[in-house]
Short mmCIF file of all heavy atoms in Angstrom, two decimals:
data_model
loop_
_atom_site.label_atom_id
_atom_site.label_comp_id
_atom_site.label_asym_id
_atom_site.label_seq_id
_atom_site.Cartn_x
_atom_site.Cartn_y
_atom_site.Cartn_z
N ASP A 1 26.99 -37.51 -40.05
CA ASP A 1 28.38 -37.07 -39.86
C ASP A 1 28.75 -37.06 -38.39
O ASP A 1 27.90 -37.29 -37.51
CB ASP A 1 28.59 -35.69 -40.47
CG ASP A 1 28.63 -35.71 -41.98
OD1 ASP A 1 28.70 -36.81 -42.57
OD2 ASP A 1 28.60 -34.62 -42.59
N SER A 2 30.00 -36.74 -38.13
CA SER A 2 30.52 -36.69 -36.76
C SER A 2 31.14 -35.32 -36.48
O SER A 2 31.61 -34.64 -37.40
CB SER A 2 31.58 -37.77 -36.54
OG SER A 2 31.04 -39.06 -36.71
N LEU A 3 31.14 -34.96 -35.22
CA LEU A 3 31.84 -33.77 -34.73
C LEU A 3 32.42 -34.08 -33.37
O LEU A 3 31.89 -34.92 -32.63
CB LEU A 3 30.89 -32.57 -34.59
CG LEU A 3 30.52 -31.75 -35.82
CD1 LEU A 3 29.49 -30.71 -35.45
CD2 LEU A 3 31.74 -31.11 -36.44
N ARG A 4 33.48 -33.38 -33.04
CA ARG A 4 34.09 -33.52 -31.72
C ARG A 4 34.16 -32.13 -31.09
O ARG A 4 34.85 -31.25 -31.61
CB ARG A 4 35.47 -34.11 -31.80
CG ARG A 4 36.10 -34.43 -30.44
CD ARG A 4 37.51 -34.92 -30.61
NE ARG A 4 38.05 -35.49 -29.38
CZ ARG A 4 39.28 -35.27 -28.94
NH1 ARG A 4 40.08 -34.48 -29.63
NH2 ARG A 4 39.71 -35.85 -27.84
N LEU A 5 33.44 -31.98 -29.99
CA LEU A 5 33.48 -30.73 -29.25
C LEU A 5 34.57 -30.80 -28.18
O LEU A 5 34.77 -31.85 -27.56
CB LEU A 5 32.14 -30.45 -28.59
CG LEU A 5 30.92 -30.41 -29.51
CD1 LEU A 5 29.68 -30.04 -28.70
CD2 LEU A 5 31.11 -29.45 -30.66
N SER A 6 35.23 -29.67 -27.98
CA SER A 6 36.27 -29.59 -26.95
C SER A 6 35.93 -28.46 -25.99
O SER A 6 35.31 -27.47 -26.37
CB SER A 6 37.63 -29.32 -27.59
OG SER A 6 37.98 -30.35 -28.47
N CYS A 7 36.37 -28.63 -24.77
CA CYS A 7 36.18 -27.59 -23.75
C CYS A 7 37.43 -27.55 -22.90
O CYS A 7 37.85 -28.57 -22.36
CB CYS A 7 34.96 -27.90 -22.89
SG CYS A 7 34.72 -26.77 -21.50
N VAL A 8 38.00 -26.37 -22.82
CA VAL A 8 39.19 -26.18 -22.00
C VAL A 8 38.84 -25.29 -20.82
O VAL A 8 38.24 -24.23 -20.99
CB VAL A 8 40.33 -25.54 -22.82
CG1 VAL A 8 41.55 -25.31 -21.94
CG2 VAL A 8 40.69 -26.44 -24.00
N ALA A 9 39.22 -25.75 -19.64
CA ALA A 9 38.93 -25.01 -18.41
C ALA A 9 40.20 -24.36 -17.88
O ALA A 9 41.28 -24.94 -17.96
CB ALA A 9 38.34 -25.95 -17.37
N SER A 10 40.04 -23.18 -17.31
CA SER A 10 41.16 -22.52 -16.66
C SER A 10 40.68 -21.93 -15.34
O SER A 10 39.47 -21.77 -15.13
CB SER A 10 41.73 -21.40 -17.55
OG SER A 10 40.73 -20.42 -17.81
N GLY A 11 41.64 -21.70 -14.45
CA GLY A 11 41.30 -21.11 -13.16
C GLY A 11 40.74 -22.08 -12.15
O GLY A 11 40.03 -21.70 -11.23
N ARG A 12 41.07 -23.38 -12.29
CA ARG A 12 40.45 -24.38 -11.43
C ARG A 12 41.44 -25.04 -10.46
O ARG A 12 41.25 -26.14 -10.04
CB ARG A 12 39.78 -25.46 -12.27
CG ARG A 12 40.66 -26.06 -13.33
CD ARG A 12 39.89 -26.99 -14.24
NE ARG A 12 39.69 -28.29 -13.65
CZ ARG A 12 39.00 -29.26 -14.23
NH1 ARG A 12 38.42 -29.06 -15.39
NH2 ARG A 12 38.84 -30.43 -13.64
N ALA A 13 42.49 -24.32 -10.12
CA ALA A 13 43.50 -24.90 -9.25
C ALA A 13 42.94 -25.24 -7.88
O ALA A 13 42.11 -24.52 -7.33
CB ALA A 13 44.67 -23.92 -9.11
N PHE A 14 43.37 -26.37 -7.34
CA PHE A 14 43.07 -26.80 -5.98
C PHE A 14 41.60 -27.14 -5.76
O PHE A 14 41.17 -27.27 -4.61
CB PHE A 14 43.52 -25.74 -4.97
CG PHE A 14 44.92 -25.29 -5.15
CD1 PHE A 14 45.21 -23.97 -5.46
CD2 PHE A 14 45.97 -26.18 -5.08
CE1 PHE A 14 46.51 -23.55 -5.64
CE2 PHE A 14 47.28 -25.78 -5.25
CZ PHE A 14 47.55 -24.46 -5.54
N ARG A 15 40.83 -27.27 -6.81
CA ARG A 15 39.44 -27.70 -6.67
C ARG A 15 39.22 -28.88 -7.60
O ARG A 15 40.00 -29.14 -8.52
CB ARG A 15 38.48 -26.56 -7.03
CG ARG A 15 38.72 -25.25 -6.33
CD ARG A 15 38.44 -25.32 -4.85
NE ARG A 15 37.04 -25.53 -4.54
CZ ARG A 15 36.57 -25.60 -3.29
NH1 ARG A 15 37.39 -25.51 -2.27
NH2 ARG A 15 35.27 -25.78 -3.08
N ARG A 16 38.13 -29.59 -7.34
CA ARG A 16 37.77 -30.72 -8.20
C ARG A 16 36.44 -30.41 -8.87
O ARG A 16 35.50 -29.96 -8.21
CB ARG A 16 37.69 -32.01 -7.39
CG ARG A 16 38.97 -32.34 -6.63
CD ARG A 16 39.00 -33.75 -6.13
NE ARG A 16 37.86 -34.08 -5.28
CZ ARG A 16 37.74 -35.24 -4.65
NH1 ARG A 16 38.66 -36.17 -4.79
NH2 ARG A 16 36.68 -35.47 -3.90
N TYR A 17 36.39 -30.69 -10.15
CA TYR A 17 35.19 -30.35 -10.92
C TYR A 17 34.72 -31.54 -11.73
O TYR A 17 35.51 -32.20 -12.40
CB TYR A 17 35.45 -29.18 -11.86
CG TYR A 17 35.74 -27.88 -11.16
CD1 TYR A 17 37.05 -27.55 -10.82
CD2 TYR A 17 34.72 -27.02 -10.80
CE1 TYR A 17 37.32 -26.37 -10.14
CE2 TYR A 17 34.98 -25.84 -10.13
CZ TYR A 17 36.29 -25.53 -9.80
OH TYR A 17 36.55 -24.36 -9.12
N ALA A 18 33.43 -31.80 -11.66
CA ALA A 18 32.80 -32.67 -12.63
C ALA A 18 32.42 -31.80 -13.82
O ALA A 18 32.12 -30.61 -13.67
CB ALA A 18 31.56 -33.33 -12.04
N MET A 19 32.43 -32.38 -15.00
CA MET A 19 32.18 -31.62 -16.22
C MET A 19 30.97 -32.18 -16.95
O MET A 19 30.72 -33.40 -16.91
CB MET A 19 33.40 -31.69 -17.14
CG MET A 19 34.68 -31.21 -16.50
SD MET A 19 34.66 -29.48 -16.05
CE MET A 19 34.62 -28.73 -17.68
N GLY A 20 30.25 -31.30 -17.61
CA GLY A 20 29.09 -31.75 -18.35
C GLY A 20 28.90 -30.97 -19.63
O GLY A 20 29.52 -29.92 -19.84
N TRP A 21 28.07 -31.53 -20.49
CA TRP A 21 27.64 -30.86 -21.72
C TRP A 21 26.13 -30.73 -21.69
O TRP A 21 25.42 -31.68 -21.37
CB TRP A 21 28.06 -31.66 -22.96
CG TRP A 21 29.53 -31.63 -23.24
CD1 TRP A 21 30.46 -32.55 -22.86
CD2 TRP A 21 30.24 -30.62 -23.96
NE1 TRP A 21 31.70 -32.17 -23.30
CE2 TRP A 21 31.59 -30.99 -23.97
CE3 TRP A 21 29.87 -29.43 -24.59
CZ2 TRP A 21 32.57 -30.23 -24.60
CZ3 TRP A 21 30.84 -28.67 -25.21
CH2 TRP A 21 32.17 -29.06 -25.22
N PHE A 22 25.67 -29.55 -22.04
CA PHE A 22 24.25 -29.26 -22.17
C PHE A 22 24.01 -28.70 -23.56
O PHE A 22 24.97 -28.29 -24.23
CB PHE A 22 23.80 -28.24 -21.11
CG PHE A 22 23.86 -28.77 -19.69
CD1 PHE A 22 25.07 -28.96 -19.04
CD2 PHE A 22 22.69 -29.08 -19.01
CE1 PHE A 22 25.13 -29.45 -17.75
CE2 PHE A 22 22.73 -29.57 -17.71
CZ PHE A 22 23.95 -29.75 -17.08
N ARG A 23 22.76 -28.67 -23.98
CA ARG A 23 22.46 -28.06 -25.29
C ARG A 23 21.11 -27.36 -25.24
O ARG A 23 20.24 -27.71 -24.43
CB ARG A 23 22.47 -29.11 -26.39
CG ARG A 23 21.37 -30.16 -26.29
CD ARG A 23 21.56 -31.23 -27.37
NE ARG A 23 20.52 -32.25 -27.31
CZ ARG A 23 20.52 -33.35 -28.05
NH1 ARG A 23 21.51 -33.57 -28.93
NH2 ARG A 23 19.54 -34.23 -27.94
N GLN A 24 20.98 -26.38 -26.11
CA GLN A 24 19.72 -25.67 -26.23
C GLN A 24 19.38 -25.53 -27.70
O GLN A 24 20.07 -24.81 -28.44
CB GLN A 24 19.79 -24.29 -25.56
CG GLN A 24 18.46 -23.58 -25.52
CD GLN A 24 18.46 -22.37 -24.61
OE1 GLN A 24 19.51 -21.86 -24.22
NE2 GLN A 24 17.27 -21.90 -24.24
N GLY A 25 18.35 -26.25 -28.12
CA GLY A 25 17.90 -26.20 -29.49
C GLY A 25 16.98 -25.02 -29.73
O GLY A 25 16.52 -24.38 -28.78
N PRO A 26 16.68 -24.73 -31.00
CA PRO A 26 15.81 -23.60 -31.34
C PRO A 26 14.45 -23.73 -30.67
O PRO A 26 13.77 -24.74 -30.82
CB PRO A 26 15.69 -23.71 -32.86
CG PRO A 26 16.87 -24.50 -33.30
CD PRO A 26 17.17 -25.44 -32.18
N GLY A 27 14.07 -22.73 -29.89
CA GLY A 27 12.78 -22.72 -29.24
C GLY A 27 12.63 -23.71 -28.11
O GLY A 27 11.51 -23.99 -27.65
#
C-alpha cells in the first residue's frame, strides 16, 4: 500500500530550512 506523510512548519520567518524525514522502528 501507499501513504503520504505531511509536515507543516510554523515560526520560520526570515530563515531558510532544509527539511528531512527520519524514522525509528521498534527496538
Side-chain angles (χ1 to χ4, degrees):
D1 287 349
S2 298
L3 279 176
R4 187 184 192 222
L5 303 183
S6 299
C7 174
V8 178
S10 60
R12 51 188 280 177
F14 309 117
R15 308 293 293 182
R16 303 194 304 185
Y17 294 90
M19 304 296 292
W21 288 95
F22 293 73
R23 67 185 180 186
Q24 186 168 17

